[in-house]
Amino acid sequence: MADEATAPLLVSYKAKPAKAPSIDDAIETYIGATGAGQLLKAILLAFSWAFDAQQCAGPALVSLPASSFFAGCLAGGFLLTTLADSLLGRKKMLLVSLVAMSVAGVLTAFSPNVWAYAALRFMCGFGRSMVGTCALVLSTELVGKRWRDKVSVAGFACFTVGFLSLPALAYMFREASWRNMYLWTSLPSLCYAILLYFLVQESPRWLLVRGRKQDAIETVRQIASLNGASGITSSFSMLHACCAMQHEDAGAGGDGVFATMHSMWERRWALRRLAAIMTASFGVGMVYYGMPLNVGNLGSNLYLSVTYNALAEFPSSILSWLLMGKINRRSSVVALTAVAGLCSLACVVIPEVSGARMAAEVFSFFATCTAFNVILMYSIELFPTSVRNSAVGLVRQALVLGGVAAPMLVALGRERSFWSFGVFGLSVGCLGLFAACLPETRGRSMSDTMDEEEHKEAATAAADISPITATSDVDNDADLV
């Protein structure tokens, strides 16, 4: 009798199939510990931001040359951003960008006239457009989840170091030709690119998504050896399993150069996220690039003014690190943009000669710098590996586009402060609210394919609906009783 009772249970029982490991699971298993050598390489990558800053705020950027440089940044940002996700990968794209930026900068020092100068500035901006994006994405993909925030903040701090080097170099060569400045800000980045070529590996996440299993295994083996695991004999079975599972989505919708754009375009959730974070970024970029333009109108020493402006970004890097570790990304962006907007609006009503106005302006810029950093890290986590570089690149272009609108507003603000501080405050405060439409990503594992991200979003939506359904069921039971 007992046998008859238990037999159907035994026959009908089916073991749940084991969940296939994701790329993120494999990466965390093999290199998630992030040893000292691995961390140093990630920080070496983050130093690319210093060269990015030197060119972004380089010498003699006025009138036509300034327009040419930013036009090159925008063109490169839209045309090159997909190459790091498709054909070239993060490392090659970074190296190509650094070399192109450096060569164009050196040639600028020998430009015979303003037209050649403007053309070379365009080429420099075109190459520079991908340096910060690729460095940020690659450095965060080479470390475990625990160190991701810290490595990204190291990049933001290096940007400040590069910015600070400019007034120092300008002061050193104040009696010399401006051509010396271009040589000293361009040649080091060429040497740095050579150093990266030999010392830094490609992103194993990207290699796995592209189906390059053997290259990924060799890369993971090299990184793991930096953590003291020399002579690894592991079969990397998790990498084999996740590569087999993810291979069909390797191209993110195809192998073309713009396949990543098409992949985001045809998925409403990706398009919605991209539109929301780019809108918030536009407002942040307007204040980030617009506030410092008033420095030259303060009547103080130009070298010291630029130095103080750069130093203001160091505390924002520290605050970014604290916020990313303790507070939700979405709440941080909304709060920071609201504070930046209120402080900027306060500058409209506070008299110009008072120290309170300077304090409000500095605090607005400080909050904007912090929001700038958080948004870039947020965009890395919002999109999977297969389209991550493209998405982060577009977010950076939205920041630059905001900066393009800033000079005109600053010029109008000389007659009436509302057109600068007022518009800045309304823009960053209102557009920052679009971040409230985004999902929260703090503490979440990074996705690697579009399908994986879709499954996570569906699971999150189901989890949100379940408590409501359960509550409804309880209420119905109570009514029946």
Side-chain angles (χ1 to χ4, degrees):
M1 189 74 178
D3 292 341
E4 291 175 4
T6 56
L9 294 175
L10 293 172
V11 172
S12 62
Y13 175 77
K14 289 183 181 178
K16 226 179 198 180
K19 181 185 174 185
S22 66
I23 291 177
D24 189 73
D25 294 333
I27 295 299
E28 287 296 323
T29 298
Y30 295 118
I31 61 175
T34 311
Q38 183 182 353
L39 187 60
L40 284 174
K41 285 194 176 185
I43 293 175
L44 176 65
L45 265 171
F47 198 74
S48 299
W49 280 85
F51 300 108
D52 180 280
Q54 286 183 334
Q55 294 299 327
C56 182
L61 282 179
V62 293
S63 188
L64 176 63
S67 302
S68 299
F69 177 79
F70 282 106
C73 288
L74 289 171
F78 286 114
L79 295 176
L80 300 179
T81 187
T82 60
L83 291 176
D85 284 327
S86 55
L87 301 179
L88 295 182
R90 284 77 160 112
K91 180 182 175 180
K92 287 181 181 177
M93 188 71 255
L94 176 59
L95 294 176
V96 169
S97 298
L98 283 168
V99 171
M101 181 181 74
S102 180
V103 170
V106 170
L107 292 177
T108 302
F110 301 99
S111 54
N113 53 58
V114 69
W115 300 106
Y117 178 84
L120 287 168
R121 290 306 291 160
F122 177 88
M123 294 305 300
C124 185
F126 192 85
R128 174 255 166 195
S129 62
M130 282 293 100
V131 172
T133 302
C134 290
L136 181 63
V137 172
L138 180 55
S139 61
T140 53
E141 289 182 349
L142 285 176
V143 297
K145 181 168 65 175
R146 179 166 158 258
W147 288 94
R148 202 179 298 148
D149 296 349
K150 300 175 181 65
V151 167
S152 63
V153 170
F156 306 144
C158 288
F159 184 90
T160 307
V161 170
F163 199 177
L164 280 170
S165 69
L166 288 175
L169 287 171
Y171 187 79
M172 286 172 56
F173 296 110
R174 63 190 182 280
E175 303 297 335
S177 170
W178 56 268
R179 299 176 189 271
N180 290 337
M181 276 288 288
Y182 278 107
L183 290 175
W184 279 96
T185 56
S186 300
L187 285 174
S189 63
L190 186 60
C191 300
Y192 172 76
I194 297 172
L195 192 66
L196 286 186
Y197 177 79
F198 290 104
L199 293 182
V200 175
Q201 290 82 20
E202 179 56 272
S203 166
R205 290 178 180 272
W206 179 79
L207 291 171
L208 286 168
V209 166
R210 300 298 296 176
R212 294 168 55 178
K213 181 173 63 176
Q214 293 305 319
D215 291 335
I217 290 175
E218 183 57 33
T219 298
V220 170
R221 191 187 303 275
Q222 292 174 7
I223 296 174
S225 67
L226 295 174
N227 300 336
S230 56
I232 285 181
T233 58
S234 172
S235 63
F236 295 104
S237 57
M238 288 183 70
L239 290 179
H240 286 281
C242 66
C243 187
M245 183 184 68
Q246 308 288 359
H247 179 67
E248 62 187 43
D249 194 41
D255 292 325
V257 174
F258 295 102
T260 55
M261 294 295 191
H262 181 263
S263 180
M264 287 190 285
W265 180 262
E266 66 183 5
R267 289 169 169 84
R268 290 186 62 185
W269 64 266
L271 198 59
R272 187 169 58 249
R273 290 185 189 183
L274 189 61
I277 197 165
M278 285 182 69
T279 302
S281 299
F282 181 85
V284 169
M286 190 180 291
V287 180
Y288 181 82
Y289 291 107
M291 281 292 187
L293 293 179
N294 286 324
V295 169
N297 301 324
L298 297 177
S300 56
N301 182 288
L302 182 60
Y303 300 112
L304 290 177
S305 297
V306 175
T307 302
Y308 293 150
N309 185 48
L311 283 172
E313 296 203 28
F314 264 128
S316 73
S317 298
I318 297 172
L319 180 59
S320 302
W321 171 52
L322 294 174
L323 287 176
M324 287 189 285
K326 304 293 183 183
I327 304 176
N328 293 342
R329 316 287 195 239
R330 181 172 54 196
S331 304
S332 297
V333 173
V334 172
L336 288 166
T337 51
V339 170
L342 289 173
C343 290
S344 185
L345 287 171
C347 293
V348 178
V349 297
I350 299 175
E352 292 187 20
V353 294
S354 68
R357 181 169 183 172
M358 175 62 72
E361 184 179 359
V362 169
F363 204 76
S364 178
F365 182 67
F366 171 75
T368 303
C369 289
T370 310
F372 183 103
N373 297 343
V374 175
I375 279 178
L376 287 178
M377 189 62 210
Y378 197 7
S379 61
I380 283 179
E381 297 172 341
L382 280 171
F383 298 93
T385 302
S386 57
V387 299
R388 183 171 295 128
N389 203 90
S390 301
V392 176
L394 290 174
V395 170
R396 287 195 75 198
Q397 295 319 301
L399 290 161
V400 174
L401 280 172
V404 169
M408 180 179 65
L409 293 171
V410 170
L412 292 172
R414 288 170 187 157
E415 300 296 328
R416 189 179 177 189
S417 60
F418 174 80
W419 293 112
S420 56
F421 292 114
V423 176
F424 285 167
L426 290 173
S427 298
V428 71
C430 294
L431 297 182
L433 293 174
F434 279 82
C437 305
L438 297 168
E440 184 51 52
T441 60
R442 188 174 75 90
R444 214 183 67 169
S445 61
M446 289 203 302
S447 299
D448 293 286
T449 66
M450 299 296 274
D451 287 344
E452 184 183 352
E453 184 63 29
E454 284 181 352
H455 292 153
K456 282 184 180 179
E457 182 164 301
T460 302
D464 292 339
I465 293 172
S466 295
I468 299 173
T469 306
T471 304
S472 177
D473 291 341
V474 170
D475 291 341
N476 291 336
D477 292 342
D479 291 340
L480 289 173
V481 171

